[in-house]
């Protein structure tokens, strides 16, 4: 048998490709590369597959994208045979799905668990990557694919005195596998993004007292989660490829009912009817009500005020309602989807502390101090999110040609070509990297598109007998300029959010994802490939 490695760089390498991460991106990358006959090793930090859906085990964790469309479509057999039980399945169900896919495609033998990658060093002499795990073990591979996730590097703000806290400290994204029992306890939650929004109502059911520390109030649309109706599932499955194609043709890669072009071009009555019906249906489709939420402040304000009024209607204490009512533009931060989120603040055992102006001063052994007030608690939950998009990559010591350090090169924000590859880092690819639509889209179709593009590119290279690929610096700069230019056209880049890195102390503010929409991005990637991979240099 011809070794698939024949035409690859670094023929002496242990593997043709090393993939970092066994989340949904790494799993599919492994499948596609192996299908091409490549020898692949996946290095995964966690103890199982699933990435996000392995780590985010906090109570209440569930996807907020309709799962019939937030799932793999590369195998029609898989999408036909797998039975989702809920509109928004729980973390457990998503993790079970990840394990099923790993079983079904026999991926397990090529994945090495509990192996966090610490270094990835390019050898110009050997023409391969040397990838080192935290325990010092090394493997070499011609290609390195970073499937490290956009929201995987945990962000824990460095509060003064945290080390002296006498109780338990947890982060939602590193929840103990055995669970945590808060029965009878006084619990603090810091953070009210998606993770806080999902977990706060569940903690409130168990804890004796829950104190939520909110820096920014968020827009939360009700999930109206429910069991999936078999007839509805059958209908979707009967037409799955066409419906998937329809979703991929939409701006965010989601299967949302498309609304009108402008919220201000219709009467208030009509607009409120539209908002009311989307509120009743629930979920992220609220964003698609009108197309000008991110370009017209006036349009945006209509949706913002509609939701604020909903909050005022739900939350009985007017002062708490006003605190919860978001001040920033709707959709500027990632929209949240919740179950009984605002209702939870009507409970006697839940209180909300505003830390937007007077920040948390310190953590004392007995609790959290804000100004003169000490909130005594037995446990603190950090729902403080992630060092998004770049964190997982920058935490690895990645060195390219002439020992170029990715950390240093990205000091002032990420620079990558199409969010897929980086100049000075030959034979390295990223899946849903910064500069690609990634987090602004339905993640699984975005992952599949990147994996397919990388696989086709490597197959093309082998067919042409070239073994080394690297983006040209000029093409990369042009792409980065384009990503920034269109981000500036959208109001989405104007408020503090993790899209810009504002949630991480000291991080340079740059709007990291590509905001031009999934279809435009896919077209661009396809054009580049059809034209012989313009903007890349080969050897
Ligand atoms: O993290 P976040 P997340 N003092 O960054 C606050 C996806 N996701 O884990 O907004 C006080 O959104 C911070 O305040 P502020 C989804 O894409 C999906 O909740 O920076 N507070 C914010 O309130 C989501 O957007 C799902 O002012 C501090 C919170 O911590 C993304 O992951 C579920 C603070 C962090 O919110 C991240 O969500 C979960 C400080 N020093 C996550 N530092 C679903 O599919 C930070 N905060 C449903």
């Amino acid at each position: 048998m011809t070794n698939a490695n024949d035409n690859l760089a670094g023929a002496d390498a242990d593997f043709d490709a090393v993939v970092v991460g066994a989340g949904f991106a790494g799993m599919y990358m492994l499948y596609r590369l192996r299908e091409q006959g490549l020898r692949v090793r996946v290095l995964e930090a966690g103890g199982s597959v699933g990435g996000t859906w392995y780590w985010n085990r906090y109570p209440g964790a569930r996807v907020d994208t309709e799962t019939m469309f937030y799932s793999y479509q590369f195998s029609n057999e898989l999408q036909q045979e797998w039975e989702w039980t809920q509109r928004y399945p729980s973390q457990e169900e998503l993790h079970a799905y990840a394990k099923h896919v790993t079983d079904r495609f026999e991926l397990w033998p090529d994945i090495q668990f509990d192996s966090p990658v610490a270094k990835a060093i390019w050898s110009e002499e050997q023409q391969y990557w040397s990838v080192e795990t935290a325990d010092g073990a090394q493997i070499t591979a011609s290609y390195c694919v970073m499937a490290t996730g956009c929201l995987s590097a945990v962000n824990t703000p460095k509060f003064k005195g945290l080390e002296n806290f006498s109780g338990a400290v947890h982060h939602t994204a590193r929840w103990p596998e055995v669970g945590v029992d808060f029965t009878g306890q006084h619990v603090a939650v810091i953070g009210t993004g998606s993770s806080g929004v999902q977990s706060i109502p569940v903690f409130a059911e168990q804890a004796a007292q829950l104190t939520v520390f909110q820096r920014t109030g968020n827009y939360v649309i009700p999930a109206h989660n429910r069991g999936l109706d078999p007839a509805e599932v059958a209908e979707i499955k009967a037409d799955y490829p066409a419906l998937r194609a329809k979703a991929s043709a939409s701006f965010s890669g989601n299967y949302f009912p498309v609304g009108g072009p402008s919220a201000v071009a219709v009467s208030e009555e009509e607009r409120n009817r539209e908002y009311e019906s989307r509120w009743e249906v629930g979920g992220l489709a609220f964003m698609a009500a009108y197309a000008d939420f991110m370009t017209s402040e006036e349009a945006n304000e209509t949706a913002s005020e509609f939701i604020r009024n909903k909050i005022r209607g739900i939350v009985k204490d007017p002062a708490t309602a006003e605190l919860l009512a978001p001040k920033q533009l709707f959709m500027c931060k990632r929209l949240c989807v919740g179950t009984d989120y605002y209702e939870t603040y009507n409970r006697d055992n839940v209180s909300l502390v505003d830390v937007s102006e007077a920040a948390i001063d310190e953590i004392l052994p007995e609790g959290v101090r804000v100004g003169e007030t000490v909130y005594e608690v037995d446990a603190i939950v950090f729902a403080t999110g992630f060092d998004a998009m770049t964190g997982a990559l920058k935490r690895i010591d990645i060195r390219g040609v002439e020992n170029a350090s990715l950390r240093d090169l990205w000091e002032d924000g990420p620079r990558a070509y199409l969010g897929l590859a980086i100049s000075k880092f030959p034979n390295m690819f990223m899946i849903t990297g910064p500069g690609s639509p990634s987090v602004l889209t339905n993640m699984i179709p975005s992952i599949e598109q990147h994996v397919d593009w990388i696989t086709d590119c490597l197959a093309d290279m082998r067919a042409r007998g070239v073994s080394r690929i690297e983006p040209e610096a000029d093409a990369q700069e042009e792409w980065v300029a384009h990503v920034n230019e269109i981000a500036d056209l959208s109001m989405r880049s104007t408020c503090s959010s993790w899209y810009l890195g504002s949630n991480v102390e000291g991080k340079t503010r740059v709007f990291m994802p590509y905001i031009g929409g999934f279809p435009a991005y896919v077209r661009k990637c396809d054009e580049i490939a059809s034209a012989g991979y313009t903007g890349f240099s080969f050897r």
Side-chain angles (χ1 to χ4, degrees):
M1 185 183 138
T2 316
N3 188 342
N5 198 21
D6 285 350
N7 285 332
L8 292 182
D12 296 335
D14 300 330
F15 295 93
D16 295 322
V18 59
V19 176
V20 183
F24 283 88
M27 290 160 58
Y28 182 45
M29 191 77 249
L30 167 61
Y31 170 79
R32 287 301 316 268
L33 292 176
R34 233 176 41 180
E35 198 185 45
Q36 303 263 315
L38 302 197
R39 297 168 303 140
V40 188
R41 171 58 51 92
V42 180
L43 299 173
E44 163 57 47
S48 181
V49 289
T52 285
W53 300 111
Y54 165 77
W55 290 109
N56 287 272
R57 293 181 288 258
Y58 58 84
R62 56 182 66 253
V63 66
D64 63 3
T65 303
E66 310 264 346
T67 199
M68 291 298 292
F69 294 91
Y70 179 90
S71 44
Y72 288 124
Q73 59 190 303
F74 70 86
S75 157
N76 195 42
E77 293 77 21
L78 170 68
Q79 70 179 0
Q80 292 296 337
E81 79 197 9
W82 179 260
E83 299 290 345
W84 292 108
T85 66
Q86 295 197 312
R87 180 183 185 193
Y88 302 118
S90 65
Q91 173 270 333
E92 290 91 333
E93 190 167 334
L94 284 147
H95 187 218
Y97 172 69
K99 288 189 287 186
H100 167 76
V101 173
T102 313
D103 285 341
R104 195 187 190 289
F105 298 103
E106 298 175 3
L107 304 177
W108 297 108
D110 296 316
I111 308 176
Q112 189 179 310
F113 294 102
D114 302 310
S115 302
V117 168
K119 290 183 188 167
I121 314 288
W122 171 253
S123 163
E124 195 62 30
E125 194 183 325
Q126 306 287 349
Q127 294 287 301
Y128 60 48
W129 283 95
S130 177
V131 177
E132 190 175 311
T133 45
D135 60 4
Q138 276 184 7
I139 60 168
T140 56
S142 308
Y143 293 90
C144 177
V145 183
M146 292 295 181
T148 41
C150 297
L151 293 157
S152 51
V154 166
N155 172 44
T156 309
K158 291 181 182 53
F159 291 114
K160 184 179 153 205
L162 179 61
E163 65 286 1
N164 303 324
F165 181 60
S166 60
V169 177
H170 301 287
H171 193 291
T172 44
R174 289 293 177 274
W175 208 252
E177 277 189 71
V178 291
V180 180
D181 185 1
F182 286 140
T183 307
Q185 295 197 3
H186 287 221
V187 177
V189 177
I190 303 173
T192 52
S194 299
S195 304
V197 161
Q198 289 190 328
S199 56
I200 284 165
V202 187
F203 296 146
E205 297 267 330
Q206 198 179 55
Q209 176 66 39
L210 188 73
T211 308
V212 177
F213 294 84
Q214 173 189 278
R215 189 163 68 180
T216 312
N218 264 316
Y219 294 94
V220 183
I221 308 293
H224 297 313
N225 189 29
R226 54 176 169 78
L228 285 173
D229 171 6
E232 168 193 11
V233 170
E235 207 177 299
I236 293 175
K237 286 190 174 179
D239 204 18
Y240 231 152
L243 296 175
R244 295 280 203 179
K246 206 167 162 188
S248 293
S250 81
F251 193 81
S252 67
N254 277 299
Y255 188 58
F256 290 155
V258 179
S262 170
V264 285
V266 294
S267 69
E268 188 181 349
E269 202 185 10
E270 182 181 338
R271 190 167 58 222
N272 282 339
R273 228 184 1 255
E274 179 68 23
Y275 291 154
E276 199 61 61
S277 92
R278 286 188 187 247
W279 184 268
E280 280 315 307
V281 171
L284 294 173
F286 197 100
M287 291 190 293
Y290 294 101
D292 58 348
F293 288 145
M294 284 292 105
T295 49
S296 155
E297 243 174 272
E298 200 188 343
N300 194 288
E301 182 57 21
T302 63
S304 308
E305 196 53 17
F306 175 87
I307 300 171
R308 289 186 203 116
N309 283 333
K310 283 288 181 194
I311 300 169
R312 291 172 188 130
I314 296 169
V315 180
K316 294 190 180 121
D317 173 45
T320 305
E322 275 324 301
L323 262 186
L324 287 166
K327 315 291 177 283
Q328 76 279 9
L329 295 164
F330 166 66
M331 271 171 70
C332 202
K333 281 173 174 288
R334 165 62 153 79
L335 186 61
C336 299
V337 175
T339 298
D340 294 335
Y341 179 66
Y342 297 123
E343 288 81 350
T344 295
Y345 293 92
N346 290 332
R347 296 175 64 108
D348 292 338
N349 69 333
V350 176
S351 57
L352 183 64
V353 178
D354 175 19
V355 290
S356 61
E357 284 175 15
I360 292 171
D361 288 291
E362 64 175 327
I363 308 291
L364 298 171
E366 65 274 28
V368 180
R369 182 171 75 79
V370 182
E372 298 299 303
T373 313
V374 176
Y375 299 87
E376 290 189 18
V377 289
D378 305 301
I380 301 176
V381 175
F382 283 87
T384 45
F386 305 91
D387 181 352
M389 312 240 18
T390 54
L393 291 161
K394 286 176 77 176
R395 287 178 192 186
I396 301 172
D397 185 8
I398 305 178
R399 306 278 170 158
V401 288
E402 293 162 5
N403 208 30
S405 152
L406 187 79
R407 262 177 216 157
D408 293 347
L409 290 173
W410 282 14
E411 185 62 34
D412 294 327
R415 314 192 83 73
Y417 187 37
L418 302 170
L420 266 167
I422 313 162
S423 173
K424 289 192 193 305
F425 296 82
N427 291 1
M428 174 176 279
F429 295 99
M430 294 174 292
I431 301 177
T432 63
S436 75
S438 56
V439 291
L440 298 178
T441 62
N442 184 350
M443 281 305 292
I444 298 192
S446 272
I447 283 170
E448 287 184 319
Q449 184 255 340
H450 263 193
V451 168
D452 290 342
W453 192 96
I454 294 166
T455 311
D456 292 348
C457 174
L458 291 178
D460 179 82
M461 285 170 65
R462 283 195 298 143
R464 289 193 286 138
V466 293
S467 55
R468 174 181 161 133
I469 176 169
E470 184 188 336
E472 289 163 3
D474 289 354
Q476 177 169 295
E477 286 313 296
E478 218 174 285
W479 181 254
V480 171
H482 173 61
V483 170
N484 292 337
E485 193 185 325
I486 55 170
D488 288 344
L489 299 176
S490 166
M491 296 191 308
R492 211 163 202 163
S493 61
T494 61
C495 68
S496 299
S497 73
W498 57 255
Y499 297 131
L500 281 143
S502 340
N503 61 324
V504 176
E505 223 183 302
K507 190 166 174 176
T508 308
R509 308 285 188 264
V510 175
F511 193 84
M512 295 177 283
Y514 172 72
I515 204 168
F518 187 62
Y521 176 78
V522 173
R523 261 196 316 277
K524 182 75 185 167
C525 289
D526 291 349
E527 274 166 28
I528 285 172
S530 319
Y533 296 92
T534 40
F536 287 93
S537 65
F538 293 92
R539 260 196 245 159

